[in-house]
Amino acid sequence: MFINKTSDNKNNICGRKISKFRKELKLSQRALADELQLIGLNVDKNAVQRMESGQRFITDIELVYLSKALGKSISELFEI
């Protein structure tokens, strides 16, 4: 059986870290979405919210942009 969700039924494993790093930078979800748009990723505040809550899958392309916007390495987004 193929499983593509976490043990707590999330669609990604880095959403919590994205939220943590965003809050450390004192950015709102809208501000993060705005920053992502400025560097070339077309997402809105709702997409950021769904990423952070685990309701949305995150592509490798999006991870690259998120790491740039948050000033973190991709591996830091995955650390538990």
Side-chain angles (χ1 to χ4, degrees), residues 18 25 27 31-43 48 51 56 58-74 77:
I18 293 167
L25 293 171
L27 293 174
L32 177 56
D34 290 346
E35 177 63 25
L36 290 166
Q37 289 178 9
L38 286 173
I39 61 174
L41 183 66
N42 188 20
V43 295
V48 172
M51 287 178 192
R56 184 180 184 282
I58 301 173
T59 68
D60 54 353
I61 295 166
E62 291 169 330
L63 284 171
V64 170
Y65 282 96
L66 285 160
S67 72
K68 287 179 185 177
L70 296 169
K72 301 292 181 180
S73 69
I74 292 173
L77 297 177

Side-chain angles (χ1 to χ4, degrees), residues 21-29 31-32 35 69-70:
F21 294 144
R22 175 183 59 78
K23 289 174 183 175
E24 286 175 358
L25 293 171
K26 298 182 179 7
L27 293 174
S28 66
Q29 290 174 336
L32 177 56
E35 177 63 25
L70 296 169

